[in-house]
């Protein structure tokens, strides 16, 4: 959902921090420099005079930061030296390990134990209230991990469903970096009820980057006791990507103790950094080179059938059967090839509806598994809301309608010790309304220092004409993008800097087509400071990407205008950590400034926010926001069915209050109220979300949001409703039923989506999905409905 504050800042508000994010600060960067060509001077760099002073200051700060980071990186080879201070030695098992959650084999007794865990959140001082012990061993085929988790006999574990976020559950997590280059690695998480979650993550990410889309076979068992629980895990070496002969891996462990609202980790990780920041891993020291992983080829064929009815377009009820397959091929120990033929995404969960009070398109996350694995290689360029690559453009035409994908291939992984590559090619079918399209993406990440890298990419969308499709608009023929990005972090992780230059290429466009940005951030336990600058030309296109606000719709002329802009952003947040006796775990006070300037330097929009966020030790939270917005509206904009709001200057003030109750309780809730001036009128928004957890067998959630817009005559008023109940029932670790209803009168749609999933074998599923869509006006008139089944098999060759 987009609340009122997000509407007025075009989704640039800082999110409420989680235990795994560095203060919740979005890393958005801008460098407003542009160029033009004239007859006398050729290519000249031009700086708007009103920005010149600010740019000079920003540029100097950026250079100073990069120099500082370069010096400090040169002084340290291993970040905080965690791999010297925290080491776990692993030796080969002499007998057979049975994965039964007992740890009663002699090899477990002989294995080296980790040192005591350290508190990670809400403070990184001292030790946690409950300790965790980890041991590791291996044989020819598996890496074994054994956890003994000191606890009570009561656990908070909301679900039995695989690949759900472990942040809301008691859980232990393994963070593995077999390449040990501090760039990316694996996560494996397990709950007391043996619920598995795995993911691939990149350095410097946060919990929002975790998609839990990477799937592979691994094995586990748990046992629960009076004052502890045990997790026993076996990860096949085939599942991991690593260089042969490497006897030192990056390693860390996390414990999530929800009852005490506490995260702890084996190595020392500052509270303002994610625990899986690979700059803070310890060392896994092998007694001999790990076994060669051997051939790893997986084929996942599927068969699906559907019955669909389309009343909205008067189409007949249709039924069809289809099949296809995915395949994962390990070309070597660190490079993987993924193939897909006639992919089917019918089992993917529907998007959560949002109320849109912005003038621009909303960003929806990718949910299709094929595009999510190793997605950081492609999607990490640019800064929200500008992303040169956005995988949801693949499989959609320019009007947002679905287009069938014939197939595709993706090569990704470590090419050398310091080089990661990603190469992807996707082909779509032609439809009655759109020609076939080919999408190609190439990305290279080169590590040039311990925590510094240069990244480059090339993207190409190519429309394929045929006898039925003649492409008349030159802009539709192709779209190409290329760019370079430099990211660097100092040895402590306090200072980070980035800069990038992006170009687009379109037929018959010779004027500048660029997007450039750069910035610096300083992050410590108590301070988060960020400053960044950027500029995008009105001729910059991203056919395979997402640009949040370059297209401006004029409601009076019914026409969209492209308009480039400068962005300036700064955020200063101070975190107070009270004493142990306080009921407050953290208190954050922040000042955030965000400005959009036209390319001539004139003001387009500016936002100034004062925020107070109070996190309590019982997991409840209060956030108060006061904001001032100055908007020089340039186009007629409509939020009602009456006359559109005219261009002009609108200075507004609004405030908001959000409260979350104790999330450890079976029943917990969130209430949000925000309101104030909205252009030449007023807006008031209420959001209430209630959750009831019948752990671990089910959760019922209902979200109700009402937005009231009131404008003076003749601009009208509007009442927007978004109602979304959700029921999830877990019959076991292998059988799940989820039903999701969404009523959104802004989109004139009421959706029912019900999905039954049976995991009849590891990584093999049967899905039955029912989807139904109705108009909200006229109420409950059917648009379309579908009944789909899909069955896949995971085969290891």
């Amino acid at each position: 959902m987009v609340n009122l504050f997000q509407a007025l800042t075009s989704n640039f508000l800082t999110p409420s921090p989680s235990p795994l994010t560095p203060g919740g600060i979005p890393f958005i960067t801008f460098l407003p420099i542009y160029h033009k060509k004239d007859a006398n001077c050729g290519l000249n760099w031009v700086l708007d005079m009103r920005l010149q002073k600010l740019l000079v200051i920003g540029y100097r700060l950026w250079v100073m930061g990069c120099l500082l980071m370069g010096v400090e990186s040169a002084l340290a080879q291993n970040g905080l030296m965690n791999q010297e201070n925290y080491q776990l030695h692993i030796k080969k098992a002499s007998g057979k390990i049975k994965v039964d959650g007992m740890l009663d084999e002699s090899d477990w007794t002989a294995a080296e134990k980790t040192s005591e865990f350290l508190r990670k959140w809400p403070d990184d001082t001292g030790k946690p209230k409950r300790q965790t012990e980890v041991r590791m061993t291996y044989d020819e085929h598996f890496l074994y991990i054994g956890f003994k988790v000191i606890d009570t006999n009561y656990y908070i574990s909301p679900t039995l469903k695989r690949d759900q976020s472990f942040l809301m559950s008691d859980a232990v997590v393994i963070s593995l970096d077999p390449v040990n280059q501090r760039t990316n690695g694996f996560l494996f998480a397990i709950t007391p009820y043996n619920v598995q979650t795995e993911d691939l993550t990149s350095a410097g990410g946060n919990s929002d980057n975790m998609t839990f889309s990477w799937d592979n076979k691994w094995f586990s068992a748990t046992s629960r006791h009076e004052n502890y629980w045990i997790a026993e895990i076996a990860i096949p070496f085939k599942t991991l990507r690593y260089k042969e002969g490497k006897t030192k891996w990056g390693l860390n462990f996390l414990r999530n103790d929800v009852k005490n609202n506490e995260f702890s980790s084996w190595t020392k990780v500052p509270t303002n950094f994610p625990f899986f920041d690979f700059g803070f891993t310890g060392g896994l020291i092998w007694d001999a080179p790990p076994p060669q992983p051997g051939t790893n080829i997986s084929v996942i064929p599927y068969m699906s059938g559907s019955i669909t009815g389309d009343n909205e377009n008067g189409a007949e009820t249709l039924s069809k059967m289809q099949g296809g397959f995915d395949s994962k091929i390990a070309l070597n120990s660190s490079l993987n090839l993924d193939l897909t033929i006639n992919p089917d995404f019918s089992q993917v969960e529907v998007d959560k509806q949002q109320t849109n009070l912005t003038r621009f398109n909303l960003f929806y996350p990718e949910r299709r598994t094929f595009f999510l694995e190793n997605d950081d290689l492609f999607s990490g360029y640019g800064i929200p809301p500008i992303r040169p690559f956005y995988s949801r453009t693949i499989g959609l035409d320019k009007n947002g309608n679905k287009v069938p994908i014939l197939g595709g291939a993706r090569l990704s992984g470590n090419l050398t010790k310091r080089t990661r590559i990603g190469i992807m090619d996707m082909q779509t079918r032609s439809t009655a309304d759109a020609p076939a399209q080919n999408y190609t993406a190439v990305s290279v990440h080169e590590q040039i220092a311990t925590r510094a890298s240069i990244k480059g990419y090339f993207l190409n969308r190519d429309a394929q004409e045929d006898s039925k499709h003649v492409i008349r608009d030159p802009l539709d023929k192709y779209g190409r993008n290329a760019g370079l990005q430099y990211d660097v972090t100092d040895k402590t992780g306090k200072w980070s800097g980035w800069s990038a230059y992006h170009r687009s290429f379109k037929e018959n466009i010779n004027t500048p087509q660029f997007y450039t940005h750069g910035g610096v951030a300083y992050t410590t336990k108590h301070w988060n400071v960020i400053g960044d600058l950027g500029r995008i030309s009105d001729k910059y296109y991203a056919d395979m990407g997402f640009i949040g606000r370059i297209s401006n719709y004029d409601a009076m002329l019914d026409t969209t205008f492209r308009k480039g802009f400068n962005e300036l952003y700064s955020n200063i947040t101070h975190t107070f950590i009270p004493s142990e006796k306080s009921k407050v775990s953290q208190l954050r006070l922040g000042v955030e400034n965000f400005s959009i300037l036209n390319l001539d330097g004139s003001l387009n929009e500016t936002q100034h926010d004062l925020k107070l966020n109070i996190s309590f030790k019982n997991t409840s939270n209060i956030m108060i926001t006061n904001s001032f917005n100055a908007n020089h509206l340039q186009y007629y904009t409509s939020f009602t069915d009456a006359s559109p709001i005219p261009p002009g200057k609108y200075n507004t003030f609004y405030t908001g209050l959000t409260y979350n109750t104790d999330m450890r309780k079976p029943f917990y809730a969130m209430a949000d109220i925000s309101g104030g001036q909205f252009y030449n009128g007023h807006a008031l928004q209420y959001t209430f979300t209630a959750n009831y957890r019948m752990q671990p067998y089910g959760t019922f959630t209902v979200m109700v949001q009402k937005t009231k817009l009131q404008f003076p005559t003749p601009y009208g008023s509007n009442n927007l409703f978004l109602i979304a109940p959700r029921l999830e029932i877990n019959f076991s670790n292998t059988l799940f039923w989820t039903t999701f209803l969404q009523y959104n009168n802004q989109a004139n749609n009421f959706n029912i989506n019900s999905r039954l999933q049976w995991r009849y074998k590891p990584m093999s599923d049967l899905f039955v999905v029912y989807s139904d869509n109705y108009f909200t006006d006229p109420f409950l008139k059917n648009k379309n409905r579908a009944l789909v089944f899909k069955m896949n098999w995971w085969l290891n060759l």
Side-chain angles (χ1 to χ4, degrees), residues 607-708:
Q607 176 87 31
H608 306 286
D609 296 337
L610 177 63
K611 302 179 183 179
L612 175 64
N613 190 299
I614 306 172
S615 298
F616 296 92
K617 290 182 178 178
N618 67 354
T619 75
S620 62
N621 181 276
I622 295 175
M623 185 169 72
I624 303 170
T625 304
N626 290 289
S627 297
F628 172 78
N629 177 272
N631 194 320
H632 289 197
L633 190 64
Q634 300 172 72
Y635 302 96
Y636 284 90
T637 302
S638 182
F639 295 97
T640 69
D641 294 331
S643 298
I645 298 170
K649 297 182 179 180
Y650 299 96
N651 297 325
T652 58
F653 177 82
Y654 59 89
T655 188
L657 172 67
T658 303
Y659 175 65
N660 296 286
T661 66
D662 188 342
M663 293 185 291
R664 301 171 301 179
K665 303 293 185 181
F667 176 83
Y668 59 98
M670 184 277 290
D672 175 274
I673 180 171
S674 56
Q677 298 166 304
F678 188 68
Y679 294 96
N680 61 347
H682 292 83
L684 183 63
Q685 186 176 82
Y686 306 90
T687 304
F688 179 75
T689 303
N691 302 269
Y692 180 69
R693 184 174 63 239
M694 301 163 286
Q695 66 173 24
Y697 300 105
T699 303
F700 176 71
T701 303
V702 61
M703 187 279 294
V704 179
Q705 183 181 83
K706 178 184 177 181
T707 306
K708 182 177 181 180

Side-chain angles (χ1 to χ4, degrees), residues 8 14 92 163 179 269 406 424 459 480 705 717-718 733 757:
L8 294 179
T14 303
K92 190 173 183 179
D163 283 344
V179 182
V269 182
L406 283 172
M424 180 168 61
L459 309 173
R480 294 168 189 152
Q705 183 181 83
S717 61
N718 206 352
N733 283 77
Q757 177 186 358

Side-chain angles (χ1 to χ4, degrees), residues 535-598:
R535 187 178 181 93
I536 183 170
S537 71
D538 55 5
K539 297 300 182 181
Y540 178 81
Y541 288 83
D543 289 6
M544 294 175 64
F546 181 89
I547 308 176
R549 59 182 301 144
I550 198 167
S551 296
N552 297 264
Y553 177 71
D554 190 307
M556 185 67 75
L557 300 177
D558 192 23
T559 303
T560 298
F561 298 90
R562 293 183 65 86
K563 192 172 184 64
F565 52 88
N566 303 297
E567 292 181 306
L568 298 90
Y569 179 86
S570 66
N571 190 316
I572 301 176
T573 300
H574 183 67
T575 301
F576 301 87
I577 301 178
S579 66
E580 281 288 328
K581 297 180 180 180
S582 174
K583 294 182 179 181
V584 175
S585 59
Q586 286 190 357
L587 188 149
R588 290 176 293 274
L589 182 63
V591 178
E592 184 176 35
N593 300 283
F594 168 59
S595 297
I596 297 292
L597 304 179
N598 299 317

Side-chain angles (χ1 to χ4, degrees), residues 432-460:
D433 301 319
Q437 304 274 351
N438 181 263
Y439 299 86
T440 302
V442 178
S443 176
V444 179
H445 292 193
E446 182 70 20
Q447 185 180 7
I448 59 175
T450 303
R451 306 193 72 182
S453 62
I454 293 179
K455 306 172 184 179
Y457 70 91
F458 175 75
L459 309 173
N460 181 68

Side-chain angles (χ1 to χ4, degrees), residues 28-31 58 62 66 69 496-499 517-521 530-533:
I28 49 181
T29 58
F30 318 101
L31 182 59
W62 179 73
C66 290
M69 287 178 276
S496 57
W498 51 91
S499 61
H517 57 89
V520 175
I530 184 171
D532 40 63
L533 307 164

